[in-house]
Amino acid sequence: MTPRTKEQNEIIRIRRIAQIVKAAADVYLDKGVLMEIRDVAASADLGYGTVYHYYKNKTDLLHDVLWQAMERAAVEMAELVNSDIVASANQSSYTGWGSRLLKLWARDHGLYLLCQLGGDHFRSLPEQFAGALTVAYHENVLRPVSAMIEYRQEQEIKEAGVSPPRQAELLLAALTGCALLPLRRGTLHTEAEQIAHFLFEGRGIS
């Protein structure tokens, strides 16, 4: 049998990490801080030792899940905000934007976890990890959402006395809270528009 090349080994390594990270995000949705490496290995259909080959403990694994999601958030959140600003002339609320974000979370559980844990300043992680993640979260998630709010509702925000960054936090907290149960059930994609309508139209948030 011909030995694998260095390039082939690297492809396998990248695929394994992606497989483990996806499984970890799924398991964390169900078990939260009770997640164990054995749970991730079972979800990824990998051996227990294989996961430990890449991650020494569940904290390091969750840290990688969140940082990989942060890289995606830098692109995805900017695109969502830009599309909302373009569409804002024909929209009276955040319903379309909220629905698109919920559908994104339905596809990308790691990105959902990033927003859920970011809303609590990553307090479930060790302090040495939480600080850097919080700074990056403010830059890559809260800042673009805050800019969208400021663009769309500047006058209303002044009257309400709520700053755009704080309103961005509240907006994401409402969405992550409503998304968790359908995300666990696997129905978030089909329920996204209904949830967004309830939050932003049914309750008069515009």
Side-chain angles (χ1 to χ4, degrees), residues 110-142:
L111 192 54
Y112 170 80
L113 285 178
L114 177 70
C115 294
Q116 183 195 50
L117 298 179
D120 195 38
H121 307 286
F122 304 99
R123 287 191 177 94
S124 60
L125 292 178
E127 189 176 343
Q128 68 268 28
F129 292 155
L133 279 165
T134 298
V135 171
Y137 180 75
H138 277 263
E139 178 65 23
N140 294 307
V141 179
L142 289 181

Side-chain angles (χ1 to χ4, degrees), residues 18-101:
Q19 189 176 359
I20 292 167
V21 164
K22 181 181 183 302
D26 292 340
V27 171
Y28 196 89
L29 278 176
D30 287 329
K31 297 199 170 187
V33 295
L34 298 178
M35 178 184 80
E36 297 292 344
I37 292 292
R38 68 174 64 87
D39 303 320
V40 176
S43 179
D45 199 24
L46 295 171
Y48 189 58
T50 301
V51 180
Y52 270 114
H53 176 73
Y54 295 100
Y55 298 99
K56 62 183 180 181
N57 55 51
K58 66 180 183 180
T59 300
D60 282 350
L61 174 52
L62 180 58
H63 186 246
D64 199 25
V65 169
L66 295 172
W67 273 114
Q68 287 192 29
M70 190 77 74
E71 292 176 2
R72 297 191 299 276
V75 175
E76 298 284 3
M77 296 304 290
E79 288 182 356
L80 276 174
V81 165
N82 288 337
S83 67
D84 180 83
I85 288 174
V86 169
S88 62
N90 299 317
Q91 287 182 276
S92 60
S93 77
Y94 294 114
T95 303
W97 175 83
S99 177
R100 289 192 297 275
L101 180 57

Side-chain angles (χ1 to χ4, degrees), residues 3 9-10 14 17 33 40 46 53 60 65 75 106 118 121 130-131 141-142 144 146 151 153 162 164 174-175 180 200:
N9 284 330
E10 179 63 12
I14 292 170
I17 289 175
V33 295
V40 176
L46 295 171
H53 176 73
D60 282 350
V65 169
V75 175
H121 307 286
V141 179
L142 289 181
S146 176
Y151 179 85
Q153 295 185 317
V162 181
L175 284 164
L180 182 56
F200 305 123

Side-chain angles (χ1 to χ4, degrees), residues 94-95 98-99 102 191-201:
Y94 294 114
T95 303
S99 177
L102 290 168
E191 295 180 32
E193 292 181 13
Q194 183 181 0
I195 292 170
H197 186 273
F198 169 76
L199 282 175
F200 305 123
E201 300 283 351

